[in-house]
Amino acid sequence: MKRTAWIKGKRLNNRRVYFTTKRRIKFSRRNRASGGLRQLRNLIQEQNIAKAQFQAQLQLQNQLQNQLQEQTQAQAQAQTQLQNQLQGQSQLQAQLQAQAQAQAQLQAQLQAQAQEQEQLQDQFQAQQQSETVSISDVGNPDVTVRTIFNSIDPNLVRASAFRAVITSSTNVTVSRKVLFPVELFDLANEYNPITSAFIPTAPGVYCITADVEYLQNIAANTRNSTIFLRIVVNGSAVTLEDDSRVNPINQSISQIVQATDILKLNTGDVVEVFISGVGTESFTGLIQSGSFAAVRQPSPII
């Protein structure tokens, strides 16, 4: 007969339980099984925690990888922009070089044109020196043209010409010399704008011309007006031109009188211009404008 041993057990639910040896063994096995399950649960929880940590690390790695990709893209864009800027600079440098080449070509063309102009000027001066015109006889209108290749004809002198004008109106009350104070040019320094006298420095044949625009004062109930313009050489009138017209009663109208002549002058002759009225009548009025000019014709030394 099998013996059953009773063993005093622990208190469960405020009751003391007695187990037999066999039942006690079963209970201990059950406890061990529940402990294994607890350990398994703990292990699963640890695995879940480790898995969560791994996932968190994986997410962090993904974020870092995304940031790295963004930085890589930004660097690529910056590099592309830099390459574009370099290309733009290269194009600009090429344009500047092209402009510099064009400027150099233009400068070379200008220099070539300047050289051609100098050559043409030299040729023109050579032609001027080699070609002269002389008058065989002052009283004969025939002109002989001859070419001198070696030297200038010693019988010919340099050019002589001047022109002076009136630029502002002048009131005059007596017959007087006309003043032309504004000198436009004087090739041989022969005109004096202060005295309005032309004094040639070489003898020869000269063309003298003068004109005056005037407004004469007309007396009451007077319609006729006559103005004389004289070219005077050494105090003597050599040319006399007049302008006569019938004006409306008590009205004055601007008139122009002109005198032109070709004279043979000597060195030191004084050529002047005078204006006057009829006979001994004085000219009273307003000189509005005018000009006085002379040019030496190609002629031998007299």
Side-chain angles (χ1 to χ4, degrees):
M1 181 173 178
K2 187 176 180 181
R3 293 179 63 182
T4 303
W6 294 90
I7 302 173
K8 187 177 182 179
K10 296 181 179 179
R11 184 182 294 275
L12 296 173
N13 295 328
N14 295 323
R15 290 185 301 173
R16 187 176 298 277
V17 181
Y18 295 89
F19 300 95
T20 61
T21 304
K22 189 181 293 187
R23 291 185 63 184
R24 184 173 179 275
I25 294 170
K26 290 181 180 180
F27 183 76
S28 62
R29 289 178 179 173
R30 190 179 297 119
N31 289 337
R32 286 197 298 270
S34 61
L37 290 173
R38 191 178 300 111
Q39 291 178 356
L40 181 60
R41 290 193 190 98
N42 294 333
L43 182 60
I44 291 172
Q45 289 178 357
E46 291 176 356
Q47 289 179 352
N48 291 333
I49 293 171
K51 185 176 180 181
Q53 292 177 352
F54 177 74
Q55 290 178 352
Q57 291 179 356
L58 184 62
Q59 290 178 357
L60 181 61
Q61 289 179 354
N62 291 332
Q63 291 177 358
L64 293 175
Q65 188 174 3
N66 291 332
Q67 292 178 358
L68 181 61
Q69 290 178 354
E70 291 176 355
Q71 291 178 356
T72 304
Q73 291 177 357
Q75 289 178 355
Q77 292 177 356
Q79 188 173 4
T80 302
Q81 292 178 356
L82 181 61
Q83 290 177 353
N84 293 332
Q85 290 179 357
L86 291 175
Q87 290 178 356
Q89 290 178 356
S90 300
Q91 293 176 357
L92 181 60
Q93 187 174 4
Q95 292 177 358
L96 291 176
Q97 291 178 352
Q99 290 179 357
Q101 291 177 355
Q103 289 179 354
Q105 293 177 356
L106 180 60
Q107 188 174 2
Q109 292 177 359
L110 292 175
Q111 291 178 352
Q113 291 178 358
Q115 292 177 355
E116 291 179 358
Q117 289 179 356
E118 290 179 357
Q119 292 176 357
L120 291 175
Q121 188 174 2
D122 293 339
Q123 293 176 0
F124 179 71
Q125 290 178 354
Q127 290 177 358
Q128 283 186 332
Q129 292 178 358
S130 61
E131 295 180 358
T132 60
V133 179
S134 63
I135 299 177
S136 58
D137 188 355
V138 176
N140 189 347
D142 295 335
V143 177
T144 302
V145 180
R146 57 177 177 168
T147 303
I148 303 173
F149 295 95
N150 297 325
S151 62
I152 300 176
D153 188 348
N155 293 323
L156 297 178
V157 297
R158 64 177 181 173
S160 169
F162 85 95
R163 180 176 175 83
V165 297
I166 299 172
T167 58
S168 59
S169 300
T170 304
N171 286 309
V172 291
T173 58
V174 295
S175 297
R176 54 167 289 180
K177 181 172 69 174
V178 183
L179 299 179
F180 303 88
V182 180
E183 180 185 286
L184 299 183
F185 64 88
D186 186 5
L187 300 184
N189 194 24
E190 297 169 307
Y191 178 74
N192 187 340
I194 298 176
T195 60
S196 295
F198 170 63
I199 303 175
T201 57
V205 177
Y206 292 81
C207 178
I208 311 295
T209 179
D211 62 83
V212 172
E213 180 183 5
Y214 66 95
L215 182 65
Q216 186 179 13
N217 295 332
I218 303 299
N221 301 322
T222 301
R223 302 182 62 184
N224 298 329
S225 65
T226 302
I227 296 299
F228 292 97
L229 192 66
R230 295 178 173 85
I231 297 177
V232 177
V233 179
N234 299 327
S236 300
V238 295
T239 304
L240 175 65
E241 295 291 340
D242 66 86
D243 178 75
S244 300
R245 68 173 55 194
V246 178
N247 300 308
I249 294 178
N250 300 329
Q251 293 185 15
S252 297
I253 299 176
S254 294
Q255 299 173 239
I256 297 177
V257 60
Q258 183 178 16
T260 301
D261 205 346
I262 296 178
L263 304 174
K264 185 177 73 171
L265 300 177
N266 297 316
T267 302
D269 285 344
V270 180
V271 183
E272 299 168 306
V273 178
F274 283 79
I275 191 169
S276 64
V278 177
T280 59
E281 295 180 4
S282 298
F283 168 78
T284 59
L286 181 68
I287 295 178
Q288 297 174 316
S289 64
S291 65
F292 181 26
V295 59
R296 185 181 190 276
Q297 303 298 316
S299 57
I301 298 175
I302 299 173

